[in-house]
Amino acid sequence: MNEEEFLKKVKRYDYLDLKIYDVNGTLRHVTLPSGYVSQSVLTNGVGFDASNLGYMNTSFSDMIAMPLISTAVDEPFAESTLSVLCDVMLPDRTSFGWYPRNVLKKAIDHVKELGIATKMMVGPEMEFNIFKSISHEVSQRSVCVKIKSEAEWPLKHEPNIEMEEGYHRLPPFDSTYEMRNEMVSILTGIGMPVKYHHHEVGISQFEIEFQLLDAIEAADWIPLLKYIVRNVAHEYGYVVNFLPKPLKDQAGNGMHVHQYLVKESKNIFDDPKGLYSLSKKALSYIAGLLKHAPAVMAFTNPSTNSYKRLVPGFEAPTKPSFAFGNRNSAIRIPAYVNDGNARRIEFRTPDATANVHYAMAAMLLAGIDGIKKDLDPSKEGFGPFEGESVPTLKNLPSTLDEVLIALENDHEFLSPAFTSDFIEMWIEKKRKEIKFINSIPHPAEYDLYFGI
């Protein structure tokens, strides 16, 4: 669709909805009556205050949203409305370096310039909860969260085995099956390449997995998936949670990212003669990603809640290791992949609190640094390890504060796409979040200390 065709299409609707990413990766929007939409909107864009999206301070916050006509879809939750994603530019029409899409595009352009690859392909797995209700309050006299969910599974005698009761559960125990069918119908109806959906291991926990696709497309789709899933659940009287660890003693929600690199239509991770059929470049990519993992986690796991998920016993990685088919490793080489065109690795650390464009860019640049330096993951001590015991490796960071220290000390590999002022802003923003969380009395402190 060219601009002329797009403008003709807009006239068949009452409204054009422009969607913009804020600094957290959440969608915001502004809606234009279709009669206002002209060539000028496509050429000059629409001005907005970026400070309210977390990008700049109010002394200089004017930005321009530029509609991406290739992303136009029918808005699922408003009649006669066409929806488009936007790029963001500075008033002088230069690219805004902090905008999530621009960061990821810069990372991919850097890889192209190096001649290593032309495309990053990914397959995200989106885990989330659908609860009957969530109420939470933080005030001077109340700190609480109350969640209504599916009934708990019947407990077995073996410790921790009860979690497996939920995996691929059938109705009536899978109580939101029809709701998820409707979610996926809307997602596929607007072009999202969904692979499947199913009940996950935890209470009220579910997964929607993508087909393998271009990283920028995937990063664009994920916030839309969150938006659609939340709105469909709302229409049913439910609420969706993407927090990594909403329930004590239950499996947390990850955003595992399958990934590989393509050069001129060839998967450069594939080598039938290599370890696990992986090429030397793929192994170096693994080494770079694991070597920089503590810093990368500032973007793939950027919340205090992220580190309540990354604990032993819940198929969540706690060490920077790689292995074949092992879900306890930070990087798993899927054992079921026999097609060399889809040869890939799975990074299991990320979660959906990430700004996914930043997360994809950070993972890519870490892996590319490993390729540039010809790193070997085995010589670096990252494995391969089988089983749950990895005694020779230090743990991955266990708090957000630790990963911010890691990012301060290790961010040169990010410089092709992340500016130094952006890194400073991100660290400052996240430390404010830590300070806020640490200032709030925890209900468990009453259990531990009230009677002392």
Side-chain angles (χ1 to χ4, degrees):
M1 195 166 42
N2 59 35
E3 290 186 352
E4 183 180 351
E5 292 169 335
F6 175 77
L7 290 171
K8 287 181 179 178
K9 183 171 185 175
V10 170
K11 300 307 177 187
R12 299 200 295 268
Y13 295 79
D14 293 332
Y15 298 98
L16 176 66
D17 195 57
L18 307 184
K19 290 185 168 65
I20 310 165
Y21 303 110
D22 67 18
V23 75
N24 295 314
T26 305
L27 285 171
R28 308 287 188 102
H29 75 143
V30 59
T31 308
L32 284 59
S34 61
Y36 172 78
V37 181
S38 64
Q39 182 63 46
S40 176
V41 171
L42 302 184
T43 304
N44 300 317
V46 176
F48 70 98
D49 178 3
S51 66
N52 286 307
L53 275 63
Y55 291 118
M56 296 296 222
N57 59 43
T58 54
S59 64
F60 182 76
S61 59
D62 289 348
M63 297 284 167
I64 298 170
M66 302 295 296
L68 293 162
I69 62 176
S70 62
T71 67
V73 296
D74 286 346
E75 168 56 47
F77 306 106
E79 292 183 2
S80 193
T81 301
L82 187 66
S83 174
V84 291
L85 298 175
C86 293
D87 266 336
V88 169
M89 304 181 75
L90 297 168
D92 63 2
R93 300 300 189 273
T94 57
S95 177
F96 175 41
W98 292 11
Y99 192 60
R101 290 188 97 252
N102 296 338
V103 170
L104 181 53
K105 284 191 291 185
K106 282 176 66 178
I108 292 170
D109 287 345
H110 172 69
V111 177
K112 291 178 182 177
E113 290 168 6
L114 291 172
I116 294 173
T118 53
K119 188 182 290 188
M120 181 189 191
M121 298 293 290
V122 300
E125 299 178 4
M126 304 300 297
E127 295 176 343
F128 57 94
N129 304 99
I130 302 176
F131 292 132
K132 294 178 181 177
S133 68
I134 300 177
S135 61
H136 53 91
E137 181 181 1
V138 177
S139 68
Q140 289 183 347
R141 292 180 175 83
S142 178
V143 178
C144 66
V145 177
K146 293 184 179 180
I147 296 173
K148 290 185 178 180
S149 66
E150 295 173 325
E152 295 187 12
W153 315 127
L155 298 180
K156 291 184 176 180
H157 294 297
E158 300 89 342
N160 295 326
I161 297 300
E162 66 271 10
M163 287 200 332
E164 298 177 1
E165 289 289 316
Y167 194 63
H168 288 194
R169 190 86 162 173
L170 282 169
F173 304 101
D174 180 0
S175 58
T176 63
Y177 175 57
E178 278 296 323
M179 186 195 309
R180 297 196 317 279
N181 278 346
E182 184 172 331
M183 291 171 180
V184 171
S185 291
I186 294 173
L187 294 171
T188 56
I190 63 171
M192 192 176 297
V194 174
K195 183 178 178 181
Y196 51 53
H197 71 89
H198 60 84
H199 201 297
E200 259 294 347
V201 298
I203 294 169
S204 298
Q205 187 186 32
F206 310 95
E207 178 178 306
I208 295 176
E209 185 171 337
F210 283 74
Q211 302 282 358
L212 292 161
L213 72 162
D214 176 83
I216 294 178
E217 290 182 70
D220 285 344
W221 280 127
I222 287 172
L224 283 169
L225 178 144
K226 287 181 168 183
Y227 169 67
I228 288 166
V229 164
R230 283 173 169 145
N231 273 278
V232 172
H234 179 73
E235 290 177 351
Y236 276 79
Y238 284 71
V239 62
V240 166
N241 163 78
F242 282 95
L243 278 174
K245 194 73 168 184
L247 296 173
K248 179 180 178 291
D249 295 333
Q250 283 289 310
N253 296 312
M255 186 181 69
H256 310 148
V257 182
H258 296 250
Q259 54 197 279
Y260 65 93
L261 299 181
V262 172
K263 183 177 183 180
E264 297 172 356
S265 303
K266 177 178 171 54
N267 182 347
I268 68 169
F269 276 18
D270 180 51
D271 181 357
K273 296 180 181 179
L275 177 67
Y276 306 137
S277 297
L278 292 172
S279 68
K280 192 171 183 299
K281 281 188 171 65
L283 292 169
S284 291
Y285 186 99
I286 288 171
L289 184 48
L290 292 176
K291 190 177 186 70
H292 295 298
V296 169
M297 289 167 68
F299 298 105
T300 60
N301 303 81
S303 71
T304 56
N305 188 256
S306 297
Y307 300 90
K308 293 178 170 61
R309 166 182 162 255
L310 300 177
V311 295
F314 293 92
E315 288 191 1
T318 58
K319 292 181 181 291
S321 62
F322 79 102
F324 185 66
N326 189 334
R327 285 177 165 79
N328 294 303
S329 294
I331 291 181
R332 180 179 75 100
I333 292 83
Y336 51 70
V337 176
N338 296 312
D339 180 4
N341 292 322
R343 188 76 59 209
R344 60 188 186 267
I345 67 168
E346 177 195 15
F347 191 44
R348 294 179 59 80
T349 301
D351 64 61
T353 61
N355 179 321
V356 69
H357 292 86
Y358 296 154
M360 296 283 187
M363 287 186 285
L364 175 61
L365 292 173
I368 290 299
D369 192 60
I371 292 175
K372 288 193 293 187
K373 295 176 179 175
D374 198 27
L375 298 180
D376 183 317
S378 297
K379 290 180 180 177
E380 295 289 331
F382 298 131
F385 294 103
E386 303 301 335
E388 295 187 20
S389 178
V390 190
T392 59
L393 276 177
K394 290 182 179 180
N395 286 338
L396 289 166
S398 60
T399 67
L400 181 57
D401 194 50
E402 287 180 53
V403 304
L404 297 180
I405 293 170
L407 181 60
E408 280 182 321
N409 296 326
D410 178 28
H411 57 261
E412 182 61 31
F413 72 97
L414 296 170
S415 62
F418 294 81
T419 60
S420 58
D421 59 345
F422 173 83
I423 298 288
E424 290 172 7
M425 175 279 295
W426 191 256
I427 291 171
E428 181 182 1
K429 167 182 162 58
K430 291 299 166 182
R431 285 198 168 134
K432 286 180 180 177
E433 293 173 13
I434 294 169
K435 184 177 180 180
F436 171 68
I437 292 295
N438 288 345
S439 72
I440 301 169
H442 195 288
E445 290 176 317
Y446 283 81
D447 290 336
L448 290 171
Y449 309 124
F450 182 72
I452 294 176

